[in-house]
Amino acid sequence: MTANPWIQDVAFPDCENSHVGKICLQMNCNSDCVHILRSIVAVMTARTGMSELQSNRVAIAVDELFANIASHAYDGKPGKVEFECRIDESSDSGGELIIDLRDYASCNWSGCLEEAASRTIDHENPCPGGLGLKLICAVVDECEHTRLPDGNHWRLIFKFNGRTNT
């Protein structure tokens, strides 16, 4: 257990001989955790060599998804969230920054990501709902959602070229 009441556990697996590895974090769903997630995103996108624009897009997607989990899955109440961020360089053409968020909410999202991504926005008469997912889908290379018996699993994938800054 860490000293911060919102953080439940932090792990840095597979990092013994590398500055890349992955970062795993268990936290209570709380708006203060956004600052921690942004810090992790900044470090990991810098390690991939992503531009500032790309890094900001990753941060926007993570912020929005975390806010959706807090607001919709947990309805603003405390709840456990697992966050994992890792760099996969197995492709010769570049790599992927993979971000997983997993909640344990009793509410499972049952929508369609393709519909959320293709939703038309009426700029003269905007209506709430679904805009966050549209934003997420607009800035990620891939977005996946899996309904679990005890929550939701979200995966955001961002592609980058070149090797990491190790």
Side-chain angles (χ1 to χ4, degrees), residues 1-11 24-28 80-81:
M1 189 73 131
T2 62
N4 186 319
W6 300 288
I7 304 300
Q8 296 174 356
D9 193 19
V10 180
C24 303
L25 179 67
Q26 290 181 2
M27 62 192 138
N28 291 317
K80 180 179 173 181
V81 175

Side-chain angles (χ1 to χ4, degrees), residues 20-45:
V20 179
K22 66 181 175 181
I23 298 174
C24 303
L25 179 67
Q26 290 181 2
M27 62 192 138
N28 291 317
C29 204
N30 180 296
S31 61
D32 290 340
C33 292
V34 170
H35 303 295
I36 296 163
L37 296 178
R38 285 185 190 158
S39 296
I40 293 170
V41 165
V43 167
M44 296 299 275
T45 57

Side-chain angles (χ1 to χ4, degrees), residues 5 9-10 19 46 64 70 77 85 107 110 119 122 139 144 163:
D9 193 19
V10 180
H19 296 295
E64 184 60 36
K77 296 176 180 77
C85 186
C107 168
S110 59
R119 180 175 179 219
D122 181 353
V139 299
E144 302 168 4
R163 307 320 267 170

